[in-house]
Structures are given as C-alpha cells and as structure tokens.
Amino acid sequence: MQNARTNLTVNALPIAYSKNTLSVTEACLAVSYGVMDMAPADPVEGMAILTRAMLT
C-alpha cells in the first residue's frame, strides 16, 4: 500500500514527466524526505508546504 501511495504522490508532481531526470530525482527526493519528516496527522499540510517551497 505504501508503494502505491508513493507512486501516486510522485506522479502527481508537475515535473514527474520531464525529460530532465536530475530535476525529477531532486523533486521526488524532496517530497520523500518531507513526507518522512512529517507527523502522520498532517500529510496534506506537509505537501502544501513542500509545494510552496519548491515553487519559490
């Protein structure tokens, strides 16, 4: 189940289908590390924070 959630999360990133593999890898790692550091009660808030951080 966790792998399916990870795949859905990573594939939802706008950069997921870029041809620049380095950028895709960096974005996926940033999301993964951010999710690991979050408390289990707030995954949506954490994703919003990560998205805002990646856009600035």
Side-chain angles (χ1 to χ4, degrees), residues 2-4 7-9 11-12 14 18 21-24 26-28 33-35 43-45 47 54-56:
Q2 185 63 30
N3 194 27
N7 288 340
L8 287 171
T9 303
N11 288 327
S18 170
T21 56
L22 182 60
S23 294
V24 173
E26 291 292 323
C28 294
Y33 293 150
V35 170
V44 174
E45 181 182 359
M47 290 301 297
M54 288 172 37
L55 293 176
T56 56

